[in-house]
Amino acid sequence: MTPATSIGDLRAMLPALAGEARVRSTEFEERRSLAPDFTDKLKRAGVFKILVPGDARGLAGSLPEWLEVIMTLAQADASTGWVSAHASICAGLIYASAEPRFRDEFFADPDACAAWSNLPRVKVKEQGDGIRITGSWGFESGCTAATFVGGMVLLSPLAEGAPPRMVAALAPASEAKIEETWDPVGLAGTGSHDVHFEDVFVPWYRTFPWPSGIPVSAYPAAIFVPGTWFIAICAAATHLGLARRSLDEARNELRGKTDRYTQKPLLEHPATQRGLEAAEGLWLACRAGMREALAVMWESALRGEPATAEVRINARVAAVTAVQRGAEIVRAAYDASGASAVRRAGVLQRLLREASCLTHHIAANQLSYELTGRVRCGIDKLSFRI
C-alpha cells in the first residue's frame, strides 16, 4: 500500500479498509485488540493523522472530514472506529500543544501513533530535567499500536494554595509495559489495556498541559485545545457508525421472514416500519447535529479564532446526544429483528454489546449534560472539562 499524502488518498483507500475491518471484527474482538498488520494499514492510509497538517506528514483534513471517515470505519467495526478516532485526536493534540522538540520527534516517525489516558494510578518524582513515573494508567485505547504512551499526571502547584498542575506525559512505547487487562462485554477490539511505567524518565519537553492545553501551533490546528470535547466527539462518531450498521442489519435480518400466523412479511408490519423509521429519523438528526457542531468548530479554526464557550458546549452536547441516542437506535434495531438477533454468531448481538460501553464514558455519560448545562446557564465558568 502506497502511503497516503492527502485526504483524497485516504478516501480512495477507505472502502478497502472498512471492508477488511468488517470481515475481521470477530478476530479483533477475540484477540482484544486490532491486529498489528491491520493497524499498519491504517497508519499507511493516514487514518491516525487526518487532523495533522502536511508539514508533519499529516493529511491536513478538517473535523467534518474526520467525522465521515470515523463513522465509516465504525460502521464496519466499532473498535476500529474508536481506536482510529482516539489516535487521530491524540496526534492532533500533540501537534497543537506539544513543544516543537517533541512534535518534531514524534512526527519524524511515519508510523507515529500516541495513546494516553486520564486515569492515572502513578507516583511522580519531579526533577530539574523532567519527571520519573512509576505506576499505571487504565483504559488506554489503542496502546498496542502506539509508538508513544503514557497519560495524565498531577504535578505540584506553582504557588501555595493553587491546584495541582495536570499534564500529559509520554514516553516511547518500548519503555512501557502493556498489561492486558481489557476484557469487556463490547468494544473488546480496542485494546484498551493498562499501560505501566516502572521508574520511566520523561523529560519536560515530552510533557504538555492537558486537558487545559495551551496552543503552540497556528490555527486551524490550534483549535484542539483546551478542553475535553474532542473525547466526546470520538465516542459520537463511533456510535453513529454503530447505529447506522444496526439499522441496516435489522432490515437485512427481517427480509424473507414472515409472520407465523398471517404469513405476511415481517418487514411490512406497520409496527416494524414505525419503529425502524423513527430510529432512522433519530439517526439522521444526530448525524446532522454532529456535522453542524464540527463544521462551526472548524470554521472558527479557519478564521484563526479559538472556539467560543457556546461552540465547545454545543459540540459536547451534540456528541453526548449522539452517543446516548445512538445506543437507543441500536436497541430499537435489535428489538425489531426478532429472536434470531440473539444468535451468538450474529452481528446484532455484538452491536448491542458494543453500544452499551461508551454510554458510561466520562466524556459522554448523562452527567455531561449537567456539566454543560451549568456552564450554559452561567452557574459555573467555562472549564477545561468541556
Side-chain angles (χ1 to χ4, degrees):
M1 179 189 292
T2 303
T5 59
S6 69
I7 196 72
D9 291 342
L10 172 55
R11 286 197 192 100
M13 298 175 180
L14 192 57
L17 289 170
E20 183 170 351
R22 182 183 291 250
V23 170
R24 301 181 68 180
S25 57
T26 301
E27 172 195 346
F28 300 158
E29 181 176 42
E30 290 174 351
R31 65 178 290 127
R32 292 184 294 152
S33 67
L34 303 186
D37 68 296
F38 184 64
T39 56
D40 286 346
K41 292 177 183 178
L42 294 174
K43 290 175 180 179
R44 287 196 292 272
V47 171
F48 297 166
K49 296 182 182 177
I50 297 173
L51 300 169
V52 175
D55 63 356
R57 302 183 181 183
L59 303 189
S62 67
L63 276 169
E65 289 170 326
W66 170 89
L67 176 64
E68 300 305 318
V69 171
I70 301 303
M71 284 195 303
T72 298
L73 292 173
Q75 183 176 345
D77 172 53
S79 290
T80 297
W82 175 251
V83 169
S84 298
H86 188 269
S88 56
I89 289 290
C90 285
L93 284 166
I94 289 172
Y95 188 93
S97 55
E99 288 189 25
R101 182 178 174 185
F102 178 48
R103 186 173 67 189
D104 293 344
E105 176 188 23
F106 180 77
F107 290 111
D109 182 355
D111 292 330
C113 176
W116 71 77
S117 163
N118 64 349
L119 290 173
R121 301 186 298 272
V122 298
K123 293 182 179 180
V124 178
K125 181 179 180 182
E126 298 182 44
Q127 301 177 178
D129 53 351
I131 54 179
R132 289 194 171 277
I133 305 174
T134 296
S136 299
W137 293 269
F139 302 107
E140 192 137 329
S141 296
C143 61
T144 57
T147 56
F148 274 83
V149 295
M152 187 178 75
V153 298
L154 299 179
L155 302 179
S156 57
L158 292 175
E160 185 175 351
R165 292 171 291 155
M166 290 183 286
V167 304
L170 302 178
S174 59
E175 298 180 17
K177 177 183 177 182
I178 294 176
E179 300 173 336
E180 295 192 0
T181 54
W182 184 241
D183 189 22
V185 67
L187 294 178
T190 61
S192 303
H193 301 299
D194 286 8
V195 169
H196 182 77
F197 280 13
E198 186 62 43
D199 194 31
V200 172
F201 175 71
V202 179
W204 288 119
Y205 77 88
R206 288 184 184 154
T207 71
F208 48 91
W210 186 80
S212 57
I214 302 171
V216 298
S217 64
Y219 284 93
I223 198 68
F224 296 108
V225 289
T228 60
W229 55 270
F230 52 83
I231 305 176
I233 69 171
C234 291
T238 302
H239 264 230
L240 285 170
L242 263 174
R244 177 69 267 154
R245 176 75 178 277
S246 70
L247 289 169
D248 295 342
E249 292 290 343
R251 291 190 176 93
N252 288 335
E253 191 75 27
L254 288 168
R255 284 192 177 93
K257 287 186 176 182
T258 57
D259 185 281
R260 69 184 66 183
Y261 300 112
T262 67
Q263 300 304 304
K264 292 183 178 180
L266 286 178
L267 196 55
E268 296 179 9
H269 197 285
T272 300
Q273 289 297 335
R274 284 196 299 269
L276 289 177
E277 288 305 296
E280 192 78 43
L282 186 56
W283 182 82
L284 288 167
C286 289
R287 184 185 62 170
M290 279 302 302
R291 283 177 167 176
E292 179 181 355
L294 295 189
V296 171
M297 181 81 70
W298 197 248
E299 287 166 6
S300 177
L302 292 176
R303 293 193 302 269
E305 301 172 357
T308 64
E310 182 181 5
V311 167
R312 288 167 58 190
I313 290 170
N314 288 346
R316 180 72 175 269
V317 169
V320 174
T321 301
V323 171
Q324 297 295 328
R325 302 292 84 77
E328 292 178 8
I329 293 168
V330 175
R331 181 76 208 198
Y334 176 86
D335 288 343
S337 300
S340 60
V342 305
R343 289 181 293 112
R344 187 181 295 274
V347 175
L348 279 161
Q349 60 81 23
R350 178 165 56 81
L351 296 177
L352 181 67
R353 289 188 288 107
E354 293 187 324
S356 70
C357 295
L358 292 176
T359 53
H360 301 282
H361 197 288
I362 191 172
N365 62 17
Q366 293 282 354
L367 289 176
S368 298
Y369 287 130
E370 180 181 343
L371 175 63
T372 56
R374 290 179 66 85
V375 175
R376 195 189 297 274
C377 294
I379 300 170
D380 294 338
K381 293 182 179 180
L382 181 64
S383 162
F384 62 83
R385 294 171 60 196
I386 295 178

